[in-house]
């Protein structure tokens, strides 16, 4: 009876090894079971994992790795080395790495037991010949001179320490030796995460940071992004040129050709109410910029001065420049203590001030012609400016190095992503181009569909992880793109005249604001599923 049961189990095991599972028949049953067993062990379900090994006749650890494990735990270092040379699936790089790990343990145990001559011989004849980087070899050589540098000065007194180091070595070897001898660490989790990430990437409306359920395939609807007008703000008396949400998402600032700027408060129910009307400019207000801590707001008068406002009180704290400064744009550094201003006057260039108006630094001269827009990446590493209408200048502030990207058509505006990795520029050729800040892209990603030819139209990043781009348009509509797609996924109608600027709330990912020549600001939210 015992022989019969053994034969049944053997036949069952052989059947497992040749069976394909899944609707498409591309998954090997034995590999799938091994991965399941590994997952159970990694989650701490050791009894369940052992039970599955016994029932399936499939072991999580291959016979080759079990042999290597026994050699390590038995301190048979020559056997370990010979075993590694016999594994054909390994590349030269993997083998050298594994040999170094084993030889290092051998070396350390020699030192721990006071056998310095054998340790030196290992270092000279074996370890130094491995292609693993000279710095690793030098570190071991340093251990000969300073035993404490390897934190092993008391190892020879405690053999348990060696056993723990050997267990650690086994774990590290498992990461180096390739399948099928080993199963990559947390393989099932990796496979599931890859599928989930792929589904998110292919979902053009995905707009959430919430954990994804794996009970069903993921797919979002258009109700995840702002597509309907939920509120119309009519506080301005002339064209609204600019809007920008605060960094915490609790405020919206707007500026207008009526020479005012307005601070709006975002309430808990997502409605906006007027908080302050800022009246000091003599000319239309073309631009606003929130300090990173949202306690201050900068306003740029058209060909006028730059003013700094206290958000809580709505009072003007400081005025920068003079009536001849010709401010075009401004931006903050992350510390909320330094700001930069670009001028449309070539002689003025770019100035950096503190909040008291003291000039910290300036970029002027023939290499700093007319500045039409400016931005600082949220991490403070790069100062980006638009000059000579068609050039993007990216300055690494710390390294004082720069590169220039030249566009074929005039640039009207600039925006930087929240993760500091990307920038977009709006062109009067009716395209938006996205470049990476570090300079990896040889060509920009292009977005089209909107209308822009005569006026300054501003675009922005938005949504969860900044995966959307929104823009105004001269045809009175708002356009939304998924960053992976060049054509718009939504076109929003409601305004009656040119939409000059848009801003996506950085904290409420389903809230978008647009500013128009029709003297209104529209707040957009998700569509009502019940309608």
């Amino acid at each position: 009876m015992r022989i019969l049961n053994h034969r049944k189990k053997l036949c069952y095991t052989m059947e497992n090894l040749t069976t394909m599972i899944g609707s498409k028949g591309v998954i090997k049953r034995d590999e799938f079971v091994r991965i399941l067993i590994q997952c159970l062990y990694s989650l701490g379900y050791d009894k369940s994992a052992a039970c599955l090994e016994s029932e399936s006749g499939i072991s999580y650890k291959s016979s080759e790795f079990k042999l290597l494990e026994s050699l390590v735990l038995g301190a048979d270092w020559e056997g370990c080395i010979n075993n590694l040379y016999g594994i054909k699936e390994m590349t030269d790089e993997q083998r050298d790495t594994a040999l170094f790990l084993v030889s290092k343990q051998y070396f350390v145990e020699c030192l721990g037991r006071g056998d310095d001559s054998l340790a030196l011989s290992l270092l000279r004849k074996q370890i130094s010949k491995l292609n693993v980087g000279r710095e690793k070899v030098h570190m071991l050589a340093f251990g000969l001179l300073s035993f404490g540098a390897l934190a092993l000065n008391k190892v020879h007194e405690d053999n348990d320490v060696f056993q723990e180091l050997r267990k650690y070595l086994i774990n590290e070897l498992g990461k180096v030796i390739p399948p099928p001898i080993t199963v990559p660490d947390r393989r099932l989790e990796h496979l599931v995460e890859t599928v989930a990430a792929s589904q998110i990437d292919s979902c053009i409306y995905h707009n959430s940071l919430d954990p994804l359920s794996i009970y069903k395939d993921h797919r979002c609807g258009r109700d995840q992004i702002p597509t309907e007008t939920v509120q119309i703000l009519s506080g301005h008396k002339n064209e609204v040129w600019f809007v920008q949400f605060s960094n915490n998402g609790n405020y919206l600032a707007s500026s207008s050709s009526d020479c005012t700027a307005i601070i709006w408060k975002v309430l808990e129910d997502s409605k906006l109410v007027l908080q302050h009307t800022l009246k000091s400019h003599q000319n239309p207000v073309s631009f606003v910029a929130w300090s990173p801590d949202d306690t201050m707001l900068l306003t740029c008068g058209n060909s006028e001065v730059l003013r700094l406002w206290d958000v809580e009180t709505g009072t003007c704290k400081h005025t920068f420049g003079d009536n001849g400064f010709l401010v075009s744009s401004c931006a903050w550094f992350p510390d909320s203590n330094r700001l930069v201003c670009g001028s449309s006057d070539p002689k003025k260039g770019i100035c950096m001030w503190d909040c008291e108006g003291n000039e910290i630094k300036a970029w002027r001269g023939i290499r700093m012609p007319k500045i039409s827009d400016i931005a600082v990446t949220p991490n403070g590493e790069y100062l980006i400016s638009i000059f000579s209408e068609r050039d993007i200048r990216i300055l690494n502030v710390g390294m004082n190095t720069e590169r220039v990207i030249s566009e074929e058509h005039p640039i009207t505006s600039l925006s930087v992503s929240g993760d500091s990795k990307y920038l977009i520029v709006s062109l009067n050729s009716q395209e938006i181009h996205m470049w990476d800040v570090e300079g990896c892209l040889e060509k920009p990603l292009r977005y089209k569909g909107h209308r822009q030819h005569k006026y300054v139209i501003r675009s922005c990043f938005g949504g969860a992880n900044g995966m959307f781009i929104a823009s105004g348009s001269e045809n009175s509509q708002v356009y939304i793109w998924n960053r992976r797609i060049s054509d718009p996924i939504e076109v929003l109608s409601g305004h009656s005249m040119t939409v000059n600027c848009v801003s996506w709330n950085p904290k409420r990912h389903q809230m978008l604001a647009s500013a128009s020549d029709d003297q209104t600001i529209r707040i957009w939210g998700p569509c009502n599923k019940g309608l």
Side-chain angles (χ1 to χ4, degrees), residues 49-102:
C51 182
L52 181 54
E53 283 184 303
S54 175
E55 185 174 355
S56 66
I58 298 172
S59 175
Y60 157 51
K61 294 180 180 178
S62 66
S63 57
E64 295 94 335
F65 193 77
K66 285 181 178 178
L67 174 59
L68 182 62
E69 185 177 44
S70 66
L71 293 172
V72 169
L73 293 177
D76 185 353
W77 305 118
E78 295 298 332
C80 286
I81 293 170
N82 292 334
N83 181 277
L84 290 173
Y85 276 114
I87 299 177
K88 297 179 181 179
E89 291 85 355
M90 298 180 73
T91 64
D92 290 341
E93 181 180 356
Q94 290 170 335
R95 183 173 286 103
D96 276 357
T97 301
L99 287 170
F100 176 78
L101 291 172
V102 170

Side-chain angles (χ1 to χ4, degrees), residues 134-324:
R134 305 309 301 171
E135 66 281 356
K136 293 182 179 180
V137 178
H138 291 161
M139 178 58 72
L140 293 184
F142 181 66
L144 277 172
L145 302 175
S146 178
F147 192 46
L150 295 175
L152 296 167
N153 48 311
K154 294 184 178 180
V155 165
H156 63 282
E157 300 173 4
D158 187 359
N159 194 57
D160 290 341
V161 175
F162 280 148
Q163 289 298 323
E164 290 302 315
L165 289 174
R166 291 169 190 169
K167 292 177 182 178
Y168 177 77
L169 170 61
I170 292 169
N171 184 59
E172 291 301 298
L173 288 173
K175 298 176 183 178
V176 176
I177 299 172
I181 297 173
T182 62
V183 179
D185 195 34
R186 298 186 178 276
R187 182 60 180 170
L188 184 59
E189 292 175 38
H190 170 74
L191 291 173
V192 174
E193 283 180 339
T194 300
V195 172
S198 177
Q199 291 186 358
I200 289 174
D201 289 344
S202 63
C203 178
I204 63 173
Y205 291 110
H206 187 74
N207 188 26
S208 173
L209 297 176
D210 294 335
L212 189 69
S213 172
I214 61 174
Y215 287 137
K216 59 182 181 180
D217 290 342
H218 175 75
R219 184 178 181 183
C220 293
R222 65 190 297 267
D223 59 299
Q224 294 300 303
I225 66 172
T227 55
E228 291 187 356
T229 299
V230 295
Q231 190 176 0
I232 300 175
L233 307 178
S234 304
H236 287 290
K237 298 177 181 178
N238 211 325
E239 300 170 350
V240 188
W241 288 357
F242 197 90
V243 283
Q244 188 179 76
F245 280 106
S246 59
N247 300 286
N248 59 20
N250 294 331
Y251 297 94
L252 175 73
S254 60
S255 65
S256 168
S257 61
D258 65 5
C259 305
T260 70
I262 295 178
I263 297 176
W264 308 84
K265 173 69 175 176
V266 182
L267 303 179
E268 289 297 322
D269 62 359
S270 295
K271 294 295 183 182
L272 280 75
V273 296
L274 193 152
Q275 184 94 342
H276 301 293
T277 300
L278 313 179
K279 300 179 180 178
S280 283
H281 288 284
Q282 304 303 310
N283 294 336
V285 183
S286 58
F287 196 90
V288 301
W290 290 92
S291 63
D293 62 9
D294 293 321
T295 62
M296 295 170 284
L297 181 73
L298 287 170
T299 58
C300 294
N302 193 27
S303 299
E304 200 196 335
V305 294
L306 179 68
R307 296 188 185 278
L308 178 65
W309 303 82
D310 182 275
V311 172
E312 183 177 357
T313 63
T315 57
C316 183
K317 298 178 64 175
H318 195 84
T319 300
F320 300 87
D322 52 46
N323 290 331

